[in-house]
Amino acid sequence: MSNDEGDKKPATRVVTGGRRRALTGLVVNPPVWRASTHLYDTVADLEAGWGKNADGNFFYGRRGGPTQWSLAEALTELEPGAHGTLLYPSGVAAISCALLAVLKPGDVLLMTDNAYDPSRSFAEGFLKNWGVETRYYDPLAGADIAALFCDRTRAILMESPGSLTFEVSDIPAICAAAKAHKGKREIVTLLDNTWATPLFFTALDKGVDITILAATKYVVGHSDVMAGSVTSTKRHWHALRIAAQMLGQVLSPDDAYLAARGLRTMAVRLKAHQAAALDIALWLQDRPEVTSVLHPALPSCPGHDIWKRDFTGSSGLFAFVLKGDWEQARRFVDALDLFGIGYSWGGFESLAVPKSPEEYRSATRWDCDGIVIRLQIGLEDVEDLKADLERGFAAI
Ligand SMILES: *Cc1c(COP(=O)(O)O)cnc(C)c1O
């Protein structure tokens, strides 16, 4: 699980990563290696097997096999400073299991107020019942987050930009504040990096301890597999690995195969998503029906300067505020033909959903003049997508 490909450019690493010959053989794609049981010749071999339940040794199917290890290694190679990557059957599983690996009852978790709503639900449902208290912070807090630290603060869950309202956080400042805190226990920083992926934001070299992807989105890229990943430094690796094993987290080899196939084209797909999304965001900015466009690459986006400093690109998900009420938003979205109405994102197809971000806030207020429409810009022709949006505007 070493990270020795660091000298190659990221676009090269998505192609070459995880393709060690000893792991995947001589074919380009790692074969789908399906197994639960490992057979031993003798009981003595079986006994020796216990000692072999180490990374990269097949012991039992729950720890995965070569197909999953290949994908995990490829993701590790995209994060400078990473020790290893664990795979999960969904992004939500990756987030919950990473939190369970670092928290214990009595701890306080700090969570960004613009977090993905199922992350909030996990905190308010499971974690609360388990005795962990979650406090929410302003995504624009930066180093000021230190004012919220107490003796019980154990972890910070960040997401930047937030995947609904797109404010960009000062991740290096938040991580530096966490490291500088001299409490009873160290504060562990976790980042949901699904929007940028390691191609547009490398997390560990900016101070993050544990970086998480809903691989369902850009890694898979084709809207046909659920998957999640957690990549960490050596310091947190053991706790994450043990928690994943105890909680029975495994990604199937078939899904790992598809995710690895998606990963090979992630750099070119992201480039296309980036260009089309920016083009459409700028076009929307000039529409009379639009109050504002929420896109980290636009100067009007809160945290835009931080995005410029820390990120190497912007992906295909952003939102805009449509003037009017929910009924008009409904008419707008219903009139779209190329944009599907649905959750998730990161696939090749465009999607649109109306959202009410104020429902998912507690530390800050979300106030806007209109309804937030979140767009996932797919790989269709940009002019066709604009014509589709025109249809939506005409319908209101
Ligand atoms: C979709 C998403 C997740 C969860 O991933 P699933 O694979 O759907 O469970 C987590 N974080 C963000 C930002 C997401 O968009």
Side-chain angles (χ1 to χ4, degrees), residues 25-42:
L26 289 168
V27 290
V28 171
N29 292 296
V32 179
W33 206 89
R34 294 191 187 91
S36 56
T37 300
H38 186 304
L39 293 174
Y40 300 89
D41 285 333
T42 63

Side-chain angles (χ1 to χ4, degrees), residues 49 70 74 81 87 106 113 154 193 227-228 272 280 295-296 300 333 348-350 365-366 380 389:
S70 170
L87 301 173
D113 208 28
R154 172 58 176 160
N193 197 29
I280 291 172
H295 188 304
S300 56
V333 175
F348 50 77
E349 81 292 7
S350 290
R365 264 175 67 86
W366 175 261
E380 304 89 342
L389 294 168

Side-chain angles (χ1 to χ4, degrees), residues 89-93 95 116 118-119 159 163 192 194-195 213-217 226-228 317 344-345 374:
S90 70
V92 161
I95 294 167
Y116 179 59
S119 297
E159 185 180 321
S163 54
D192 181 338
T194 303
W195 184 85
L213 295 177
T216 308
K217 312 290 163 59
M226 304 290 297
L317 188 80
S344 202
W345 45 279
R374 192 179 75 174

Side-chain angles (χ1 to χ4, degrees), residues 211-233:
T211 179
I212 303 167
L213 295 177
T216 308
K217 312 290 163 59
Y218 286 124
V219 174
V220 166
H222 295 74
S223 306
D224 51 2
V225 171
M226 304 290 297
S229 71
V230 170
T231 300
S232 89
T233 55

Side-chain angles (χ1 to χ4, degrees), residues 150-209:
C150 68
D151 262 355
R152 294 195 294 129
T153 309
R154 172 58 176 160
I156 307 176
L157 180 64
M158 307 171 284
E159 185 180 321
S160 175
S163 54
L164 184 51
T165 46
F166 301 93
E167 305 94 324
V168 183
S169 297
D170 193 338
I171 301 293
I174 292 173
C175 294
K179 294 221 159 41
H181 179 67
K182 298 283 173 266
K184 285 202 193 93
R185 297 170 75 205
E186 80 182 272
I187 299 177
V188 184
T189 51
L190 303 97
L191 172 70
D192 181 338
N193 197 29
T194 303
W195 184 85
T197 84
L199 292 184
F200 288 159
F201 183 88
T202 50
L204 302 186
D205 61 359
K206 296 189 183 67
V208 175
D209 295 313

